[in-house]
Amino acid sequence: MSRVSAGAVIVISSHVVRGSVGNRAAVFALETLGHPVWALPTIVLPWHPGHGRSTRLTFNEADFDHAIDDLIAAPWLSEVRAVLSGYFGNAAQALSVARLVTALREKNPDLLYACDPVIGDAGGLYVPEATAEAIRDHLIPLASLATPNRYELAWLAGAPLEDNNAIMEAALALGPSRMLVTSAVPMMAGGIGNLYLSGRNALLAEHRSVEGAPNGLGDLLSAVFLSRLLSGMDEERALQLTTASVFEVLARAVKRGSNELTLAVDSASLSTPMAMVQLRHLVHPAQRKKK
Ligand SMILES: Nc1ncnc2c1ncn2[C@@H]1O[C@H](COP(=O)(O)OP(=O)(O)O)[C@@H](O)[C@H]1O
Ligand SMILES: Cc1ncc(COP(=O)(O)O)c(C=O)c1O
């Protein structure tokens, strides 16, 4: 497995003391796959709130924004090739990160910005509406890649998404040139899938669904997929390998009976996954319109 060349990734998401959600998943995955990482936490908390009482340690909005100023003025800024954002503690942080991405792009027009709009799930929004709106209005327009789950995309698009054609139309309308939609509609019975849409490809990568999945799979998926793109891998292979990694990490954690992903012992699943994934080519919305 080739190691990735120099070029740091700035990751911006939550930090948990115990567990592997937010930055804990992204930093581990990116470093394991050979990327230097700059990690900025948006909030710090003992563990994912799904496990029970978990006090949010927060940053003052102005202080967070000043830290972004420091990053923009950093003498090492030319090291940075990509930014990945995930969970935000408030709407102001999303505006600060938009400033960071814009400043980085001015210096490096090839900067990749991956936006994982961590705003909700099947149960609806779990961040304040103002935070979700700030992500939609200020970050999605800057994204080279967005990785919403199906429910997040439905909220962003303002439309229910009942099948993969509706998902593709919404993904296309949202704007980013590459969209990776998780929890897409499976074609395989008992399956779960990731739908990838770019100018070139409309793909669905599927595997079986597993009971008792720990949190952090979306965070892991966006980091691994970003790494694969940064390594220059073609999109189809990147989707296949990333989906296989996430499924394998999940299956191993569940087999151990763990309520968190067990990344430290499953790092080989990130670099060299063995799990099989079913890859299908879908009819791209642009092709459907030509017919
Ligand atoms: N219960 C599950 N069984 C198998 N794979 C899963 C399960 N939950 C998530 N995944 C995998 O992880 C991906 C991302 O998970 P998802 O829950 O959509 O992300 P998010 O954490 O952003 O909501 C899914 O598309 C799928 O590939
Ligand atoms: C603090 C916090 N809450 C909620 C979530 C959402 O997690 P999930 O979608 O995996 O349940 C995350 C994910 O990063 C998080 O960091």
Side-chain angles (χ1 to χ4, degrees), residues 50-172:
H51 293 314
R53 186 185 154 78
S54 187
T55 302
R56 281 166 74 96
L57 304 175
T58 58
F59 299 106
N60 169 290
E61 287 177 13
D63 287 344
F64 188 90
D65 204 47
H66 289 145
I68 293 284
D69 285 332
D70 294 349
L71 293 178
I72 292 173
W76 318 279
L77 207 63
S78 60
E79 292 169 7
V80 177
R81 270 182 86 191
V83 175
L84 169 63
S85 69
Y87 184 92
F88 286 102
N90 55 51
Q93 290 181 344
L95 292 168
S96 301
V97 170
R99 226 160 47 72
L100 173 67
V101 172
T102 304
L104 279 160
R105 281 252 169 82
E106 275 168 18
K107 296 200 165 77
N108 172 15
D110 295 330
L111 178 95
L112 253 177
Y113 168 45
C115 179
D116 185 10
V118 181
I119 58 176
D121 56 25
L125 283 187
Y126 51 54
V127 298
E129 203 157 283
T131 305
E133 284 169 356
I135 293 170
R136 180 190 65 197
D137 299 341
H138 298 281
L139 292 176
I140 291 288
L142 296 174
S144 340
L145 163 72
T147 58
N149 64 37
R150 187 205 321 174
Y151 314 101
E152 289 164 338
L153 180 60
W155 187 87
L156 292 166
L161 304 175
E162 267 134 37
D163 59 35
N164 285 334
N165 286 335
I167 289 179
M168 286 191 283
E169 293 292 348
L172 205 57

Side-chain angles (χ1 to χ4, degrees), residues 238-282:
L239 177 67
Q240 197 165 25
L241 270 190
T242 302
T243 305
S245 284
V246 170
F247 175 64
E248 195 169 301
V249 164
L250 161 61
R252 286 171 165 271
V254 168
K255 203 167 170 194
R256 290 194 182 93
S258 175
N259 68 356
E260 283 290 341
L261 301 176
T262 42
L263 294 176
V265 280
D266 294 329
S267 60
S269 300
L270 298 178
S271 48
T272 49
M274 311 296 276
M276 297 302 290
V277 164
Q278 168 98 48
L279 194 83
R280 291 173 208 267
H281 289 256
L282 305 177

Side-chain angles (χ1 to χ4, degrees), residues 35-47:
H35 306 268
V37 173
W38 300 13
L40 174 61
T42 49
I43 58 166
V44 175
L45 62 176
W47 39 73

